[in-house]
Amino acid sequence: MALLDVEELSVTFARRNQRPVRAVDGVSFSVDAGEVVGLVGESGCGKSVTSLAIMGLLPKQPGLTVGGKAVFDGTDLLKIDDRSRRDIRGRDIAMIFQDPLSSLNPVVPIGIQVTEVLTRHRGMKGEAAAKEAAQLLDRVGIPDPKRRLKEYPHQLSGGMRQRALIAMAVACQPRLLIADEPTTALDVTIQAQILELLKDLVRDSGTALVMITHDLGVVAGMCDTINVLYGGRVVETARRRPLFRQPRHPYTVGLLGSVPRLDAGRGERLNPIPGSVRDLLPWPDGCAFAPRCTRRIDSCVGEPPALVVTHDSRGYRCVNPAPLPGAPGEEVREVVPGSATPGSVPAQAVPDDPPAVPGLAATPSEEDVA
Amino acid sequence: MIRFIVRRLLQLIPTLFGLSILLFIWLRRLPGGPETAILGERGTPEMRAAIRQNLGLDEPILIQYGRFIRRMVRLDLGTSISTKREVTTEFLQRFPGTVELTITAMVIAIGIGIPLGYLAARRRGRFLDHASVGGSLIGICIPVFFLAYILKAIFSENLGWFPSSGRQDPTLGATRITNFFVLDGLMTREWDAAADAIWHLVLPGMALASIPLAIIVRITRASVLEVLNEDFVRTAEAKGLTENVVRRRHVLRNAMLPVATSIGLLTGGLLSGAVLTETVFAFSGIGAFLADSISQRDYPVLMGFIMIIAVVYVLVNLIVDLSYSLIDPRVRVR
Ligand SMILES: Nc1ncnc2c1ncn2[C@@H]1O[C@H](COP(=O)(O)OP(=O)(O)O)[C@@H](O)[C@H]1O
Ligand code: SF4
Ligand SMILES: [Mg+2]
């Protein structure tokens, strides 16, 4: 049985006088113990909301509905009470975020931010906790850990901050680590180091990792299984090799086309996907990718495309997938009809950009914070 | 740190110098003078001239100012025209009352304002939130002296729970050491005297607390709402910390930063005297005395008191800045 089984997860934000927004619209994927799973897609496709829903960390705002299941080790995380959830968070499932500076408390020393996890879940205090914290910092490659423990986040470099956050996340040897774009805010050279560190940590400890990124280049080096998201749905699932060799969903094909390749000749142009993430069709009306798809046919529109699961347990949600070159054809195991709840619009706004859906801001405005 | 303090204190010198010039000009441009206050409308021009000469007010203004500065350098603030006592003595006798009143008001404002602002933010949009936001609006709008009258009428005159005037019951015959009546009572172990002094502080303290309380509630609420949305609060939650630790260590500590600044400014403001509140409760602080001194044109008292208050104001803000650097490590005092 999988360590984490996400089934038909959906997250809806209701809005005043407007149709509700479905940020996540029936996402299903699973993570085996020790496996590295990628969640890939352009900005706004629902990656962060998916991970926050699993962790129970979505902002508590009125109008928020979470549906589906997220079964971790036999327990549905969406059904348990707040106390059990707090026991699991940080101990069994840990998470690291995109921006290491804003993710650290600016007025609390790094040491306390590490030891508080040890105190909470491992009952360690005083000297023992401090010693363990120093060892953790050392393990994530922070030099002179004793001194760093006393320092504040602003005294560390960006890479060191993310290392410190990783130290806090692995402090209790969790069985699952969720990393939401852990390198996006960092310099290119530092990015590679942090990815290397994460790879080493999960390999050595047997921790399963959900790697969230908009960059297929990142998952290429580390993920066993990859889920490609579009418009709040998983549109293709495959093991790494088949996905990179023979992508089936036109969106995956497009993403691969826009990954810079080291072996590409000079002057060879990248092929970005035409249009923008904002041009999307609501799933109830057909394939959300249809407005940008070069393989679109008539049957793409009208109803949501079914999920096709093939013999090698790949899956894609497309009625006209890219052909398998020279292959004897595939054996289709299962076709799950695409369903969609009508009456809602998918959300796909780039954060900090004008909202994809008129009237929807990426973050709720605090009109009464004066 | 030491250098920071020394520099701030040195900056005080030009500030005081400029303030003294402005004060001097303002005072001398007030219509009338001490002679009018002393003689009323009846005095003859000769009598007026005699008094002016006696007080040295007939000399050119520059000479008068020079004399004032020379005395200031020796820390001599001169003698009050109306009470004939040293300005310093008057100040030392009255300022402790104002300080006690300010501390009482701020203890009430902080003690209620921070928890209330925090709860309003946590219960955002619910009854307690609306009630405290609305209540703080009333607190800001309602004139303090009006509130003082109401409190006095209800809790003193009607219910008799608190004394209606003064700083202490004179029949107790309490020993005076510092003129901080509460402190004196504690130092001399005259517990009844200390308790009585505190009792006298409650009503004027409540009246005076209304505006700082309202401001602190609003700033705390807004600040907590902002911090609750911060990424590091999400990180703390992701670690599975208990709600208690998340609130205390991660939300409140950060939310207190803007509150601390406002507390410093509000305290400085209260220390310069609460004329109307002190008058309503016949509380002998500097406020009522300053008001009298203006109508008496008591130049030395006005100059001296305002200069000392300016120094106190700067010192209070210096202390706030220093404590700010303790709670926010990103702010380094240099
Ligand atoms: N609190 C919220 N209220 C309303 N809409 C939200 C909220 N948080 C996220 N969304 C919407 O959900 C969609 C998915 O966001 P997100 O998961 O952050 O995307 P990404 O894949 O870039 O991580 C976005 O279009 C965003 O506008
Ligand atoms: S279903 Fe149609 S529109 Fe959607 S990706 Fe496949 S071919 Fe393109
Ligand atoms: Mg994101």
Side-chain angles (χ1 to χ4, degrees):
Chain A
M1 201 184 71
L3 178 66
L4 173 71
D5 236 320
V6 177
E7 284 170 45
E8 290 294 317
L9 178 72
S10 68
V11 179
T12 313
F13 297 102
R15 298 168 299 163
R16 233 174 266 154
N17 307 327
Q18 272 166 309
R19 288 207 289 173
V21 174
R22 284 219 142 191
V24 176
D25 189 0
V27 161
S28 304
F29 66 94
S30 68
V31 183
D32 287 333
E35 194 187 17
V36 180
V37 171
L39 289 188
V40 191
E42 284 162 297
S43 196
C45 67
K47 307 182 294 292
S48 297
V49 172
T50 300
S51 59
L52 294 175
I54 294 169
M55 294 288 286
L57 288 176
L58 283 169
K60 291 180 191 62
Q61 62 191 72
L64 170 77
T65 349
V66 181
K69 282 188 193 167
V71 182
F72 176 81
D73 196 22
T75 325
D76 185 352
L77 297 173
L78 305 184
K79 300 268 183 317
I80 57 179
D81 60 26
D82 187 63
R83 250 185 78 200
S84 338
R85 196 177 279 143
R86 281 178 197 274
D87 286 341
I88 291 178
R89 285 201 298 242
R91 189 187 66 195
D92 299 315
I93 311 180
M95 185 158 179
I96 45 184
F97 299 95
Q98 178 167 344
D99 182 355
L101 180 58
S102 66
S103 297
L104 287 165
N105 187 333
V107 303
V108 172
I110 298 289
I112 292 180
Q113 299 191 52
V114 179
T115 51
E116 64 183 3
V117 200
L118 300 171
T119 309
R120 169 71 174 89
H121 296 297
R122 290 169 65 184
M124 300 174 83
K125 289 207 174 85
E127 270 305 299
K131 218 173 136 199
E132 176 71 14
Q135 272 170 15
L136 279 165
L137 290 197
D138 188 54
R139 200 160 129 225
V140 298
I142 295 181
D144 201 357
K146 287 236 168 56
R147 182 167 62 90
R148 293 297 186 187
L149 285 178
K150 295 196 193 75
E151 290 187 343
Y152 290 90
H154 72 275
Q155 292 167 290
L156 270 61
S157 68
M160 287 300 152
R161 285 180 203 131
Q162 194 59 295
R163 283 175 195 269
L165 279 158
I166 293 174
M168 295 165 204
V170 299
C172 301
Q173 287 149 343
R175 280 182 288 166
L176 176 65
L177 180 62
I178 303 178
D180 186 359
E181 313 232 18
T183 59
T184 307
L186 302 174
D187 288 347
V188 182
T189 46
I190 312 290
Q191 286 187 6
Q193 294 172 13
I194 295 291
L195 289 178
E196 208 52 44
L197 171 68
L198 278 174
K199 240 196 287 188
D200 291 348
L201 283 175
V202 296
R203 197 186 43 226
D204 296 348
S205 61
T207 299
L209 173 66
V210 173
M211 184 76 196
I212 296 178
T213 176
H214 62 272
D215 183 356
L216 267 179
V218 168
V219 299
M222 58 194 304
C223 293
D224 305 316
T225 304
I226 294 160
N227 298 282
V228 180
L229 268 75
Y230 193 81
R233 279 194 177 190
V234 176
V235 293
E236 178 155 18
T237 304
R239 306 286 295 174
R240 172 178 52 186
R241 276 170 168 256
L243 186 97
F244 278 88
R245 285 204 185 146
Q246 298 150 346
R248 303 301 307 278
H249 196 281
Y251 178 61
T252 314
V253 176
L255 276 184
L256 284 171
S258 55
V259 176
R261 293 181 59 116
L262 287 176
D263 56 0
R266 264 178 191 282
E268 208 171 304
R269 290 271 312 261
L270 297 174
N271 305 313
I273 305 169
S276 99
V277 275
R278 315 267 180 78
D279 311 323
L280 85 176
L281 199 65
W283 282 110
D285 301 342
C287 173
F289 188 55
R292 303 168 71 190
C293 185
T294 48
R295 295 185 58 82
R296 184 178 65 226
I297 54 176
D298 285 348
S299 55
C300 297
V301 185
E303 59 181 81
L307 172 70
V308 179
V309 183
T310 63
H311 62 284
D312 48 358
S313 59
R314 292 184 65 166
Y316 48 81
R317 215 177 265 283
C318 177
V319 295
N320 187 22
L324 287 169
E330 64 188 351
E331 178 195 321
V332 172
R333 270 243 194 99
E334 197 186 353
V335 177
V336 186
S339 64
T341 315
S344 63
V345 283
Q348 198 154 84
V350 182
D352 302 325
D353 262 19
V357 188
L360 172 77
T363 44
S365 66
E366 293 285 359
E367 67 275 295
D368 48 0
V369 175
Chain B
M1 177 95 153
I2 302 287
R3 276 177 58 196
F4 174 77
I5 298 174
V6 170
R7 207 182 50 214
R8 285 283 287 267
L9 291 180
L10 286 179
Q11 278 170 0
L12 193 54
I13 294 173
T15 311
L16 287 179
F17 201 69
L19 179 68
S20 70
I21 296 177
L22 286 177
L23 264 178
F24 223 81
I25 296 172
W26 171 66
L27 285 178
R28 298 306 143 107
R29 297 202 56 172
L30 286 176
E35 71 282 3
T36 319
I38 292 168
L39 295 171
E41 298 303 316
R42 286 157 299 139
T44 61
E46 290 77 32
M47 288 162 81
R48 288 168 190 278
I51 290 179
R52 287 192 73 87
Q53 191 180 7
N54 204 352
L55 294 173
L57 297 175
D58 54 340
E59 287 174 88
I61 190 150
L62 271 181
I63 304 244
Q64 289 183 40
Y65 183 70
R67 211 169 336 119
F68 169 77
I69 290 295
R70 231 176 302 137
R71 278 198 278 109
M72 271 291 282
V73 174
R74 281 182 279 127
L75 298 179
D76 172 10
L77 295 174
T79 311
S80 160
I81 298 176
S82 49
T83 68
K84 308 278 188 297
R85 301 202 304 165
E86 294 239 350
V87 171
T88 320
T89 313
E90 292 286 3
F91 189 82
L92 289 180
Q93 190 178 350
R94 291 165 204 277
F95 193 53
T98 296
V99 173
E100 285 187 340
L101 195 52
T102 299
I103 292 173
T104 309
M106 288 313 287
V107 166
I108 295 174
I110 294 169
I112 300 177
I114 291 179
L116 196 59
Y118 178 78
L119 285 177
R122 294 296 303 218
R123 308 233 192 305
R124 182 168 169 216
R126 290 201 255 151
F127 175 76
L128 182 75
D129 185 22
H130 295 308
S132 59
V133 170
S136 68
L137 199 65
I138 296 173
I140 290 173
C141 294
I142 204 166
V144 176
F145 80 92
F146 181 65
L147 186 61
Y149 270 121
I150 293 184
L151 288 174
K152 185 165 138 172
I154 298 178
F155 294 104
S156 170
E157 284 154 11
N158 240 319
L159 297 170
W161 292 354
F162 296 97
S164 65
S165 66
R167 290 182 60 194
Q168 201 171 46
D169 182 354
T171 61
L172 287 174
T175 319
R176 302 269 178 267
I177 302 175
T178 59
N179 273 326
F180 289 93
F181 289 3
V182 178
L183 188 65
D184 287 351
L186 296 179
M187 281 164 61
T188 57
R189 295 170 178 266
E190 294 169 2
W191 308 122
D192 55 334
D196 187 62
I198 293 176
W199 222 228
H200 278 81
L201 283 166
V202 174
L203 289 185
M206 274 165 60
L208 211 53
S210 61
I211 290 179
L213 171 62
I215 293 176
I216 290 173
V217 167
R218 299 197 139 224
I219 294 182
T220 306
R221 175 182 178 276
S223 173
V224 168
L225 280 179
E226 208 170 299
V227 173
L228 281 174
N229 274 329
E230 295 277 1
D231 287 350
F232 59 78
V233 174
R234 196 180 53 191
T235 308
E237 293 281 5
K239 291 175 182 172
L241 302 179
T242 57
E243 209 165 350
N244 218 353
V245 174
V246 175
R247 283 179 187 176
R248 274 203 333 266
R249 187 177 293 156
H250 297 284
V251 177
L252 262 183
R253 242 204 233 182
N254 280 279
M256 280 310 102
L257 300 177
V259 182
T261 316
S262 72
I263 287 175
L265 293 171
L266 291 168
T267 308
L270 290 188
L271 281 177
S272 44
V275 179
L276 293 169
T277 308
E278 289 183 6
T279 311
V280 172
F281 289 98
F283 189 96
S284 80
I286 57 170
F289 187 65
L290 263 178
D292 283 347
S293 302
I294 292 180
S295 56
Q296 299 284 324
R297 302 286 185 270
D298 197 336
Y299 297 148
V301 168
L302 291 171
M303 291 294 296
F305 272 42
I306 294 176
M307 299 294 275
I308 303 178
I309 291 168
V311 174
V312 171
Y313 197 90
V314 170
L315 289 182
V316 167
N317 279 290
L318 178 62
I319 292 170
V320 169
D321 285 353
L322 290 176
S323 61
Y324 199 92
S325 75
L326 287 183
I327 46 178
D328 190 348
R330 288 165 298 182
V331 179
R332 276 227 225 100
V333 289
R334 243 173 296 165

